[in-house]
Amino acid sequence: MARFTRIEVALKMKETGIVPVFYHKDVEVCKEVLKACYEGGVRVFEFTNRGDYAHEVFAALNKYAEKETPEMILGVGSIVDAGTTSLYIQLGANFIVSPVLNPEMAKVCNRRKISWSPGCGSVTEISYAEELGSEVVKIFPGSQVGGPSFVKGVKGPFPWCSIMPTGGVEPTEENLSKWFESGVHCVGMGSQLITKEILQNKDYAALQASVSQAVALAKRLSK
């Protein structure tokens, strides 16, 4: 059962600005990454449903998070169907993120009052997602659907929209400033933040420092 409400998820996304997106088949690596991000100031983390037995990795990681990173809101991304949504909710996912807009997933999440962020690539999809109860809508892939200019365009007629881009987001002031100036709610970031070099070298101290810098930058730019 989720430890955080969907309202808490949306507010914390806005407060911290950065949502790391990560998957690794080794749960010990996931724990180290989660801890480094937590110490760096992240409070919302998206575990990616990728690879065989990913749900088992998540189950162990979520139990770890409850004890070692109690304020971390851990959710799951890359979910595309209602069945997998139910599976992860049963394992305690606090939010569900998808690269697609699937109404059946909305029904499952709404029944349990779980935050749901579907992937959208048009104004029509965004509006439909909100009709289905999505508080924070994901645009994906962020840069390919139009980047910051797309977000700015949407926010013109739909100023109430809370948008989270994933894809094309980098932990640099030049990149983040464009996204936050366009009016995003928060941004999702994967390999640009948790790099291959960091993982290969197991340099989790460097990850913590990088995350801390990115979170501070996001908070400043979102004001």
Side-chain angles (χ1 to χ4, degrees):
M1 183 173 177
R3 295 190 296 120
F4 300 90
T5 68
R6 53 186 175 184
I7 300 302
E8 289 174 317
V9 173
L11 291 175
K12 196 59 70 173
M13 283 178 169
K14 177 69 172 177
E15 180 184 326
T16 54
I18 301 284
V19 179
V21 179
F22 181 73
Y23 167 78
H24 198 284
K25 64 181 181 180
D26 187 339
V27 69
E28 297 305 319
V29 172
C30 292
K31 289 177 181 178
E32 293 285 359
V33 168
L34 186 75
K35 184 72 171 180
C37 288
Y38 187 76
E39 297 296 336
V42 161
R43 289 298 179 268
V44 185
F45 190 99
E46 179 186 325
F47 174 84
T48 307
N49 175 49
R50 186 177 300 155
D52 294 337
Y53 310 110
H55 68 288
E56 294 182 3
V57 176
F58 175 79
L61 185 63
N62 202 23
K63 291 175 182 177
Y64 170 84
E66 287 187 32
K67 295 180 180 179
E68 302 298 330
T69 59
E71 295 179 22
M72 183 68 90
I73 302 175
L74 185 59
V76 184
S78 294
I79 307 297
V80 299
D81 60 84
T84 311
T85 298
S86 297
L87 172 64
Y88 276 101
I89 289 176
Q90 188 65 23
L91 295 174
N94 293 285
F95 62 91
I96 299 293
V97 180
S98 177
V100 300
L101 174 56
N102 183 338
E104 296 305 312
M105 292 175 61
K107 293 178 183 178
V108 172
C109 289
N110 289 338
R111 285 193 185 101
R112 297 284 290 272
K113 298 182 75 172
I114 302 293
S115 176
W116 168 68
S117 294
C120 300
S122 70
V123 175
T124 298
E125 286 186 335
I126 291 171
S127 182
Y128 185 38
E130 291 175 334
E131 180 184 336
L132 292 171
S134 178
E135 186 66 34
V136 179
V137 175
K138 172 180 177 175
I139 61 166
F140 179 81
S143 58
Q144 282 79 4
V145 300
S149 62
F150 174 76
V151 176
K152 187 175 182 180
V154 172
K155 295 282 285 187
F158 293 173
W160 55 81
C161 284
S162 297
I163 296 173
M164 173 179 65
T166 302
V169 182
E170 302 171 10
T172 64
E173 181 161 7
E174 179 183 8
N175 182 274
L176 289 178
S177 62
K178 292 178 181 178
W179 284 112
F180 281 99
E181 285 171 7
S182 72
V184 297
H185 185 79
C186 63
V187 296
M189 204 181 312
S191 59
Q192 295 288 346
L193 181 65
I194 308 169
T195 66
K196 290 182 179 179
E197 290 74 23
I198 285 175
L199 296 176
Q200 288 173 350
N201 299 326
K202 298 183 178 181
D203 193 351
Y204 301 115
L207 175 58
Q208 180 181 331
S210 179
V211 167
S212 179
Q213 184 177 11
V215 169
L217 186 57
K219 286 184 176 181
R220 175 168 63 82
L221 293 171
S222 62
K223 291 181 179 179

